[in-house]
Structures are given as structure tokens and as C-alpha cells.
Amino acid sequence: MDHGPLTGRVAGAPISWGVCEAPGWGVELPPSEVLAQMAALGLAATELGPTGYLGPDPASVRRTLATHGLGLVGGFVPVALHFAAEVDLAPTVAAMRTLAEAGADVAVLAADAGPTGYDRKVSLDDAEWARLLHNLDRVRAEASALGLRTCLHPHVGTAIESRDAVIRLLRDSDVGICLDTGHLAIGGMDPMELVASAAGRITHVHLKDVRLGTAKAVAEGAVSFLDGVRSGLFAPLGQGDLDIAGVVVGLERAGFTGWYVLEQDTALSAPLGEREEGPEADVRRSMEFLWETVVPALDGADHGGPDGA
């Protein structure tokens, strides 16, 4: 079905089905079930998910995706950038090589704050900023050699989370940005502010809606990120408090031609029963919002083409 400028540019993510790399996150559904549901919903591609989830090697990942008629957009690559002047990039390069050989286009980097989950708040001093920016350039050079684009994902519990950190990153680096509507909001930045001020820097988008009351509790540390997710922090598009339509329309009018990934973080506490409504239903609601609300709002907008570039 033709959905105008968004046709072929909307992807899924395993975390929308509760599949996450964080320890103790919850029940993990098998790839065959998740990918079959993605394909049935009409998604064009997926992000990789946790290392090994879609297969032990790039060839296996390609075969798994081909079975379901899906492409690979990219993947989440956390890397500790600010701890040392010359961070060991071997694990990061290995992760990015897997992405490249499996057919991905983009490495979605995050400034890892260490092995403490997503509830640590980090405030970098000038020396740490200098190390982060230097190591970020090193990662970007390695990614480019592998044929990958890179973007930095402001993310809860990482070194780039707050509005101030995002603004400084935009000022001190020319790295592309992954606009994640939910994580920006939790970090105190209205996604529309980033669209208005730096649309040209946005190379990849994670779309999720947010219940701002729960987001405030997570930001203040009253609720852990995982508990926030379990209590409905993220909502299907159009059912939270963010202006998702405004974000997409603003980006399209600015000439954005990349991917929109439906990434509504979910945590499953138990296997799904046969009659239980699972994550697929929320992804379907998000897609219906895109087709029924956002696409009509794009009528007359100056937008880029569906090449995913």
C-alpha cells in the first residue's frame, strides 16, 4: 500500500516486542515470532536488536531476515567514549562489522556510561568531553571504513542524555543525531526543539510516544527506567503526550530522507497467552496513527524521497 513519502521508510525494532540487551529486562520472544509479526504488519525492515538475537553471524542474520522479507536498517552500538583517551574499540568495530556484513546502513551509537543499567546520571567535565569527542571521531572513522553511516543516540542513562549535553554535542561535533522522541523527552528536551534547531543533523529517527508524568518520575530517579517501561512510560504513537505528527512533518519539510523506526520499549514479565494481546497490537496502533494522522498531515509538505539515504 502506498503511504506517500513514508512508503518503505518505516522499520521495526525487536525492543518493541520486549527484546533488549539489558540484563533482567524480561521474557524474550523468539526471532521467528517477532519477525513474522513485523512482516505481517507491513514493516519494511528492522534494527538488529541484541548481539546474536537474529543469528550468530552476518550470513545467518541475512538468511533469517530474508525468510521474512525484511531488510536490516542498523543497530544500537553502545560504546564507552569518555573513560580513556584511547578507548579500546575492538568490540565496537566487531559489532559494526557484523552490522555492515549483514546489510545494515547505519550504526546507532550511544555514549555508554558503564555496566550499571540505564539509571545512572552522568555529567561530564571538560576533560571527559574532550575524550568523548576524540573517541567518537575514531569510531566514526572505523564505521566509515566499513561503509556505515553513524549517528549518536541521546539516551537515558548514558553520557549524552540531558538537553544541555545534546546542545553541547551539536556545538562541538558534527556527528549525525538519532532523534529518539522518547529519550529526548525524558532528558528534558522537546523533540520539536531539535527538529526546529538542527533538522539537518538528524540522520535516523526512533519514534515513540511518552506519558510525560511517568517520564518525569524516571528523570527524577523516583522510578527506575525499567519500572517506568513496565508501568507504561512509552505509549503507542498518538496515545502519549508528544507531538509525533509535528516531528515527522517538520523533518519531512526539512528534507529528511532516512528511516523512521517504531521503537516503543516494552518489557514482558511472562510469556504471552494464546488469547492475550501482545506487543504486536501496540505496533499496529502506532502504524495506524502514522497512516491515518501523519501521512494526511504531510499533504503539501516539501519532503525527501523514500530512498532511506
Side-chain angles (χ1 to χ4, degrees):
M1 183 178 294
D2 184 9
H3 294 296
L6 300 189
T7 299
R9 296 169 58 205
V10 179
I15 198 169
S16 294
W17 276 260
V19 180
C20 180
E21 73 284 345
W25 188 265
V27 171
E28 187 173 281
L29 299 177
S32 57
E33 182 176 348
V34 172
L35 296 179
Q37 291 181 10
M38 285 188 187
L41 288 168
L43 293 166
T46 181
E47 287 196 358
L48 185 65
T51 300
Y53 178 67
L54 295 183
D57 54 67
S60 298
V61 173
R62 283 182 177 272
R63 287 194 298 270
T64 298
L65 293 173
T67 298
H68 299 278
L70 294 168
L72 182 64
V73 175
F76 185 66
V77 183
V79 52
L81 297 168
H82 67 279
F83 291 107
E86 296 288 329
V87 170
D88 178 12
L89 296 183
T92 302
V93 172
M96 294 193 300
R97 182 174 292 111
T98 295
L99 284 174
E101 293 179 359
D105 173 52
V106 61
V108 183
L109 308 174
D112 195 355
T116 55
Y118 289 131
D119 294 308
R120 182 179 179 185
K121 299 297 179 185
V122 180
S123 180
L124 303 181
D125 60 28
D126 287 342
E128 289 171 324
W129 265 106
R131 293 197 290 268
L132 182 146
L133 295 170
H134 169 68
N135 286 310
L136 179 58
D137 285 344
R138 293 174 61 217
V139 174
R140 294 169 67 193
E142 295 282 359
S144 180
L146 293 168
L148 292 172
R149 296 182 299 128
T150 51
C151 57
L152 196 287
H153 183 343
H155 193 291
V156 168
T158 70
I160 307 295
E161 173 182 355
S162 70
R163 178 179 180 274
D164 287 346
V166 173
I167 290 172
R168 180 161 181 174
L169 179 71
L170 289 168
R171 184 192 74 192
D172 293 350
S173 172
D174 63 353
V175 67
I177 301 295
C178 172
L179 187 159
D180 184 301
T181 51
H183 284 277
L184 282 175
I186 298 167
M189 188 175 205
D190 185 339
M192 287 299 296
E193 178 186 358
L194 188 61
V195 172
S197 64
R201 293 285 295 276
I202 297 167
T203 58
H204 197 63
V205 176
H206 288 170
L207 287 179
K208 50 171 69 80
D209 213 338
V210 172
R211 296 180 175 98
L212 290 178
T214 307
K216 184 173 185 291
V218 170
E220 293 175 347
V223 175
S224 72
F225 180 66
L226 177 55
D227 284 344
V229 169
R230 288 173 173 166
S231 64
L233 170 63
F234 299 120
L237 301 185
Q239 296 184 23
D241 299 312
L242 300 183
D243 183 7
I244 298 298
V247 167
V248 177
V249 170
L251 285 171
E252 292 296 293
R253 286 179 172 159
F256 178 71
T257 59
W259 286 95
Y260 294 98
V261 181
L262 299 181
E263 195 204 49
Q264 178 188 336
D265 298 20
T266 298
L268 301 178
S269 58
L272 297 175
E274 289 185 6
R275 298 183 181 180
E276 185 178 354
E277 186 176 74
E280 179 186 17
D282 279 345
V283 179
R284 180 182 294 107
R285 292 182 184 105
S286 290
M287 295 185 72
E288 289 170 351
F289 178 79
L290 284 180
W291 307 149
E292 296 171 8
T293 301
V294 177
V295 169
L298 288 170
D299 287 346
D302 294 324
H303 52 72
D307 59 4

